Amino acid sequence: MEKKRKKPTISIGIPAYNEELNIGKLIKEILSQDQKNFSIDKIIIASDGSNDNTIEEAKKFNLSEIEIFENKERRGVAVRMNQIFKHCNSEILILLNADIAVPDKFFINKIIQPIIEDRADLVSADLMALKAETFIGKVLKTSFDFKKTIFQNYKKGLNLFTCYGAGRAFSKNLYRSITFTESVGEDAYSYLYCLKNGFKYANMKDAKIYIKLPDNLLDHKKQSLRFNDSKERFNEIFGKDFIRKEYHLPIGLILKKAITCFFRRPLLMTFNVLVTLYMRILSLFSKKSSNVWDISISTKDHNINKNKQDSILLRLSKQVFFRRTLYRILRFVDDVLFLKNKMIVLCYHGVNDKKESFFDVSVEDFKKQINLLLKEGYVFVDSKEFYKLLKKRDESNVEKVCLLTFDDGYKDVLVVREFLLYKKIKPLIFVLSDKERVSREALGSDKEFLAKNDIEVLKKDGWKIGSHSATHKDFKDLSAEELDEEIRLSKKKLEEKYDLIVESFAYPKGFYDKEIKKIVRSAGYLMGFSMDDGIIRGGIDVFSVPRIGINSSHANEEFLTTFSPSVVIFRKLIKLFL
């Protein structure tokens, strides 16, 4: 009989400087990890002279396995990681940055797997950047995505550039051997040390960590100069020839990926090139980076003080005011030219007075918006009637119609059930077949989903049920097998569970491509709904039907402008360039 393998012991090391608003959340995510294949010895938190409540927040857990070092002096991340190494005796050590999110409860299982299988001594997690809000943030997000495609395609992802400091696992042999001498570029240092001393490296794409990128040039400058500075320092430590080889990237690969990205996002890629050149020039005249953290404020997603919050809200209010003014002007032009959008699909996510999410609208606003559509002469149709209209090539005799849709399948839609029944409106609601496996962090909501009996009630009211995938994963990161589960199997599960035929699919986060549409079509769906901006005409591709998303920022006086033809075209052009 095969002997059962003993579970390896794990320690988690977290160097931290002023992370009071995220450290507790990170500890909770660590404690909620599935520990079937390992056991946590301890969580070591090494504060590097924090002057906020980082220590106090960590102490709130009051657990014996959490060991906290209250260092009063700032000496840099290298010193704190060496301190963690010294106080660790586990078979595997995982180092995590304090300002990250690890929502996947199997994250630790994934990142330690190569070490358990003796395939690696150093394993890096994969980085996922959160959505950018500012223009500069979008430029930097484009740069991040562009570089990531290059790094993952070079040497099968086994290179210096995929060794991310935000999350790494070390074998006992490695962390007992290595000593960090520099805080600058310590992530690259661990990779270079690993290779130079005969250890093995792996990058785990399945072990995902979520980070926030800078949203301004000042913070990007801090990060960029640190990277350029580290390369110069490593020449002295490891030798110029070795560093030149490890920092090399094939020009052909860079050009190939650059051309692809330019076609997708020409404006953002152009600015990316300009920012890169600017940073290169700055690096020629900058002094060497300090060995302590030079904090990039905008990357601290949770660390926003009251003044900064007020500043953000003011900026958003100005943007919304500008948008509403522009939309009204464009709608006025459409009225003068007698242009109307005959066929529209509206997409809501939640209806509640608490407005728990940016995507929620209040009950009063929702009812007013529906009444405004009726006053404008729109007739609400169900998904079957809408499909018939889409298949028509001649729409000259088609009256103004609207299909009402809801995404995600939240229970709060029940608050307007009676209202919609009275108005004889039969919405199409897209639900998740495996809602118990959904990552709430990725979904961005903790709201309650509809129960089985809720959906049975909606069915009796005439609501149609569509699939929004199995678990709302980001389709950009999925294999063909995973896409099949999210698309084809979700349809089968929903049909069996609710005794119905699922004919419509809504792409999670609005993302789709030619291959994804092909799977949707072959799975037996009749329609696929996107979040594209576009004018719906008879005879369009029924597997990329555009929808208009309505959220809390759409005031009732602005609501009718959102689907005015000129506004739709304007938004489409903006997305094309951004």
Side-chain angles (χ1 to χ4, degrees):
M1 190 172 84
E2 187 180 345
K3 191 177 179 181
K4 190 176 180 180
R5 179 187 287 180
K6 184 182 175 183
K7 294 197 296 186
T9 55
I10 308 292
S11 282
I12 315 291
I14 308 173
Y17 173 67
N18 287 356
E19 293 291 350
E20 65 176 337
L21 296 180
N22 195 59
I23 193 71
K25 179 174 177 291
L26 180 58
I27 292 172
K28 283 181 183 177
E29 290 175 334
I30 292 169
L31 294 174
S32 66
Q33 291 285 306
D34 184 292
Q35 295 188 43
K36 288 180 181 177
N37 300 320
F38 65 89
S39 60
I40 294 180
D41 261 352
K42 53 186 171 180
I43 300 170
I44 308 170
I45 299 168
S47 172
D48 191 48
S50 298
N51 52 27
D52 65 350
N53 293 319
T54 298
I55 299 300
E56 288 73 9
E57 289 297 317
K59 283 183 176 179
K60 285 181 181 179
F61 289 86
N62 195 27
L63 297 172
S64 59
E65 58 260 46
I66 298 180
E67 187 173 356
I68 302 170
F69 292 98
E70 301 180 48
N71 304 295
K72 303 299 182 184
E73 183 184 354
R74 285 196 70 196
R75 296 184 59 191
V77 67
V79 172
R80 300 311 163 205
M81 288 192 295
N82 290 337
Q83 185 178 30
I84 291 168
F85 289 163
K86 184 179 177 181
H87 290 84
C88 179
N89 196 40
S90 302
E91 293 170 64
I92 300 173
L93 170 65
I94 299 172
L95 286 180
L96 299 176
N97 282 0
D99 59 350
I100 62 168
V102 282
D104 182 2
K105 70 176 183 178
F106 298 103
F107 168 79
I108 292 180
N109 282 293
K110 292 173 182 176
I111 198 170
I112 67 174
Q113 197 62 34
I115 297 177
I116 293 174
E117 296 174 355
D118 200 28
R119 292 188 286 114
D121 297 282
L122 173 66
V123 185
S124 174
D126 186 37
L127 290 192
M128 303 294 290
L130 297 172
K131 185 179 178 181
E133 300 298 334
T134 67
F135 178 74
I136 292 298
K138 290 177 182 177
V139 172
L140 299 179
K141 173 75 163 57
T142 300
S143 175
F144 175 87
D145 293 340
F146 163 57
K147 290 174 183 175
K148 189 175 174 181
T149 60
I150 296 171
F151 302 157
Q152 289 181 342
N153 283 278
Y154 178 51
K155 293 165 66 171
K156 297 181 179 179
L158 301 179
N159 58 76
L160 174 144
F161 302 98
T162 62
C163 185
Y164 302 113
R168 289 162 293 171
F170 296 73
S171 70
K172 192 170 187 176
N173 287 337
L174 178 58
Y175 78 73
R176 281 291 174 86
S177 168
I178 192 171
T179 300
F180 288 107
T181 58
E182 299 280 355
S183 290
V184 178
E186 49 79 26
D187 45 2
Y189 181 91
S190 61
Y191 171 87
L192 295 167
Y193 182 93
C194 181
L195 262 63
K196 196 76 170 177
N197 292 276
F199 293 100
K200 293 171 286 186
Y201 169 72
N203 172 257
M204 279 299 288
K205 292 180 182 178
D206 289 340
K208 297 190 183 300
I209 279 176
Y210 290 81
I211 63 167
K212 187 175 185 300
L213 297 174
D215 64 9
N216 61 72
L217 286 179
L218 179 61
D219 283 345
H220 177 60
K221 173 187 169 184
K222 294 175 184 178
Q223 293 187 348
S224 181
L225 294 184
R226 284 201 296 263
F227 177 81
N228 292 329
D229 191 11
S230 65
K231 184 178 177 182
E232 295 302 317
R233 299 187 190 199
F234 294 151
N235 282 332
E236 302 168 11
I237 300 171
F238 297 102
K240 287 187 177 181
D241 290 340
F242 180 69
I243 294 302
R244 188 184 302 112
K245 178 184 175 184
E246 293 304 324
Y247 273 83
H248 169 75
L249 288 170
I251 296 297
L253 177 61
I254 295 172
L255 291 175
K256 179 183 176 182
K257 298 300 178 183
I259 291 169
T260 303
C261 287
F262 261 110
F263 274 109
R264 288 179 180 173
R265 295 182 174 179
L267 180 63
L268 292 176
M269 276 298 289
T270 300
F271 273 88
N272 172 36
V273 171
L274 294 174
V275 169
T276 302
L277 290 173
Y278 173 62
M279 293 301 161
R280 288 290 174 90
I281 294 169
L282 279 181
S283 68
L284 298 175
F285 302 99
S286 64
K287 62 180 181 179
K288 282 197 172 185
S289 303
S290 167
N291 205 40
V292 298
W293 278 292
D294 189 9
I295 297 299
S296 300
I297 298 298
S298 66
T299 65
K300 309 301 179 187
D301 194 34
H302 303 284
N303 292 358
I304 301 175
N305 59 35
K306 184 66 171 62
N307 291 336
K308 190 170 178 66
Q309 274 186 331
D310 291 343
S311 173
I312 290 171
L313 289 172
L314 179 62
R315 186 178 70 211
L316 287 174
S317 67
K318 288 178 179 178
Q319 290 175 351
V320 170
F321 174 78
F322 173 76
R323 184 190 73 195
R324 288 174 181 169
T325 303
L326 177 62
Y327 283 11
R328 285 169 184 163
I329 293 170
L330 291 173
R331 186 168 192 247
F332 174 75
V333 172
D334 287 344
D335 287 343
V336 170
L337 299 175
F338 298 102
L339 298 176
K340 297 293 177 186
N341 199 347
K342 281 190 172 183
M343 299 171 68
I344 61 172
V345 185
L346 297 184
C347 174
Y348 289 87
H349 284 77
V351 184
N352 64 76
D353 290 330
K354 293 179 182 178
K355 291 191 178 179
E356 299 172 55
S357 160
F358 171 75
F359 297 101
D360 293 343
V361 298
S362 69
V363 176
E364 182 183 2
D365 283 350
F366 178 83
K367 291 180 178 179
K368 282 182 179 179
Q369 289 165 6
I370 297 300
N371 286 329
L372 281 170
L373 285 167
L374 292 170
K375 188 177 179 181
E376 284 284 307
Y378 279 89
V379 175
F380 284 88
V381 295
D382 66 16
S383 57
K384 282 198 172 184
E385 293 171 292
F386 191 77
Y387 177 72
K388 291 176 183 176
L389 292 171
L390 287 182
K391 301 298 283 184
K392 283 187 176 182
R393 298 257 171 207
D394 178 15
E395 58 174 67
S396 57
N397 61 343
V398 173
E399 55 188 337
K400 291 195 291 187
V401 297
C402 175
L403 173 63
L404 180 63
T405 70
F406 292 93
D407 277 7
D408 299 338
Y410 295 123
K411 196 180 187 77
D412 61 12
V413 299
L414 295 176
V415 75
V416 292
R417 178 194 154 233
E418 293 290 343
F419 169 77
L420 293 173
L421 188 62
Y422 175 74
K423 296 287 183 178
K424 297 181 180 179
I425 297 173
K426 300 173 183 178
L428 168 59
I429 185 165
F430 294 102
V431 300
L432 302 161
S433 65
D434 295 41
K435 58 188 182 222
E436 65 282 351
R437 294 198 293 121
V438 174
S439 165
R440 289 293 192 163
E441 184 74 23
L443 191 61
S445 173
D446 290 322
K447 293 196 303 179
E448 186 180 358
F449 291 115
L450 289 164
K452 184 178 180 181
N453 62 311
D454 297 326
I455 291 181
E456 294 296 341
V457 169
L458 295 179
K459 275 174 56 184
K460 288 179 182 177
D461 287 352
W463 291 46
K464 302 299 180 185
I465 311 301
S467 171
H468 199 29
S469 78
T471 62
H472 207 281
K473 287 181 179 175
D474 190 338
F475 279 16
K476 293 178 185 176
D477 302 321
L478 302 188
S479 65
E481 184 180 352
E482 289 171 317
L483 284 171
D484 191 73
E485 179 186 356
E486 292 290 322
I487 298 170
R488 193 185 309 276
L489 294 185
S490 71
K491 182 180 192 294
K492 185 179 178 183
K493 287 180 181 179
L494 289 172
E495 289 178 337
E496 290 175 353
K497 186 173 183 178
Y498 300 116
D499 189 26
L500 46 74
I501 298 175
V502 174
E503 297 179 330
S504 303
F505 187 86
Y507 304 105
K509 301 181 181 179
F511 178 79
Y512 65 94
D513 57 24
K514 203 176 284 186
E515 288 304 311
I516 291 172
K517 285 202 298 181
K518 188 176 178 182
I519 297 172
V520 172
R521 185 184 291 108
S522 65
Y525 294 97
L526 295 181
M527 291 184 287
F529 290 83
S530 72
M531 290 305 298
D532 294 343
D533 288 296
I535 304 296
I536 301 176
R537 296 282 184 258
I540 68 163
D541 182 358
V542 294
F543 290 99
S544 55
V545 181
R547 293 187 293 170
I548 297 144
I550 305 298
N551 57 55
S552 60
S553 75
H554 294 118
N556 294 324
E557 61 268 21
E558 176 199 9
F559 171 71
L560 293 176
T561 69
T562 59
F563 48 86
S564 198
S566 293
V567 172
V568 172
I569 293 168
F570 171 77
R571 282 204 308 262
K572 191 178 183 70
L573 290 172
I574 290 295
K575 285 183 180 178
L576 185 64
F577 288 107
L578 294 184

